[in-house]
Amino acid sequence: MTTAVTVQGNKVRKVLKELGITQEELARKLGMKRETLNRKINGQANWTFKDLEKLTTTTGKKLEYFLNL
């Protein structure tokens, strides 16, 4: 069973700008296609905990930053 959570897409977009990378580059680092990342950012697909672990490691941001807590 895969558990999914919702991430604030605007936070991911902000990090892309901060790091000066494209969705394509981030998707490659996360091990997914750009289209998949785009769907996740836009709320059309959910993030798994594994995705979030990669996202926090890659961006250097804490998990709480991306979640709507």
Side-chain angles (χ1 to χ4, degrees), residues 4 6 8 13-14 20 28-29 36 38 42 50 54-55 60 62 69:
T6 303
Q8 291 187 352
R13 288 184 201 93
K14 184 175 179 179
R28 191 173 344 115
K29 291 178 181 188
T36 302
N38 186 278
N42 290 317
K50 186 175 180 179
K54 289 179 183 178
L55 181 64
K62 292 186 177 189
L69 299 175

Side-chain angles (χ1 to χ4, degrees), residues 48-63:
T48 65
F49 287 114
K50 186 175 180 179
D51 293 335
L52 291 174
E53 180 181 19
K54 289 179 183 178
L55 181 64
T56 58
T57 301
T58 301
T59 63
K61 297 286 186 183
K62 292 186 177 189
L63 179 61

Side-chain angles (χ1 to χ4, degrees), residues 10-65:
N10 61 330
K11 296 283 184 94
V12 178
R13 288 184 201 93
K14 184 175 179 179
V15 168
L16 288 171
K17 287 183 181 182
E18 288 176 6
L19 298 176
I21 62 174
T22 64
Q23 280 189 21
E24 184 72 37
E25 292 169 306
L26 181 58
R28 191 173 344 115
K29 291 178 181 188
L30 298 178
M32 64 181 71
K33 295 180 180 182
R34 187 205 54 81
E35 294 82 7
T36 302
L37 176 60
N38 186 278
R39 288 179 48 230
K40 290 175 185 278
I41 290 172
N42 290 317
Q44 298 167 339
N46 289 320
W47 295 80
T48 65
F49 287 114
K50 186 175 180 179
D51 293 335
L52 291 174
E53 180 181 19
K54 289 179 183 178
L55 181 64
T56 58
T57 301
T58 301
T59 63
K61 297 286 186 183
K62 292 186 177 189
L63 179 61
E64 294 83 8
Y65 176 81

